[in-house]
Amino acid sequence: MRLSKPTRRKPVGLTSLIDVIFLLLLFFMLTSSFTRYQAMPVANGGEGGGAEIKPAYFRIHDSNRMDLNGQSAERENLPQLFAALAAGEKALLAIWSGPEAKVQDVVDVMSAARREGLNTVIVTGK
């Protein structure tokens, strides 16, 4: 009986495996986002009973046209208007966004209201 010589296996090449791992790493690095998202707290209307304080009504028609309780408001004057509201009894602000208003307009108004100490902001839809 003749014994056969054990066959020698070829060593596995790691070059292609390293290439695949590098491509996967590159793919995940390029597709992932490292930005920090910030949340802005928004109060919604509750059930039942009326509000103790009637909110000030801020309307955003579009980027150029806004009004506070029916009086025209300029974007540059928002800090002063909101500071006056926060100093008075009306610390509650209802924001209405019109069909031409952009999301950034609403976020800008909400941020300005928060900076001036208006605690609760109610956002109503279009």
Side-chain angles (χ1 to χ4, degrees):
M1 181 165 140
R2 196 170 177 200
L3 291 175
S4 65
K5 213 177 188 184
T7 56
R8 229 178 154 164
R9 293 186 181 176
K10 280 184 160 181
V12 176
L14 294 180
T15 306
S16 52
L17 180 63
I18 292 171
D19 288 345
V20 169
I21 291 173
F22 177 73
L23 287 174
L24 285 173
L25 178 67
L26 188 65
F27 171 76
F28 286 118
M29 284 178 61
L30 292 176
T31 57
S32 62
S33 175
F34 296 107
T35 59
R36 254 184 76 201
Y37 293 104
Q38 295 181 350
M40 180 175 286
V42 177
N44 59 355
E47 264 187 55
E52 298 167 4
I53 301 171
K54 186 176 178 183
Y57 192 59
F58 193 87
R59 294 172 46 162
I60 306 170
H61 301 284
D62 57 32
S63 295
N64 300 322
R65 238 179 69 202
M66 301 176 189
D67 61 66
L68 177 64
N69 292 330
Q71 302 292 323
S72 180
E74 298 295 324
R75 188 179 291 270
E76 300 81 33
N77 298 335
L78 291 182
Q80 294 85 6
L81 292 172
F82 292 153
L85 283 176
E89 288 183 15
K90 292 192 176 194
L92 192 62
L93 183 68
I95 300 174
W96 177 83
S97 60
E100 300 296 318
K102 294 183 175 66
V103 173
Q104 188 61 50
D105 298 331
V106 176
V107 171
D108 290 343
V109 170
M110 288 176 65
S111 297
R114 293 281 179 193
R115 278 193 301 270
E116 298 304 324
L118 291 172
N119 295 328
T120 306
V121 178
I122 301 169
V123 179
T124 57
K126 295 180 179 181

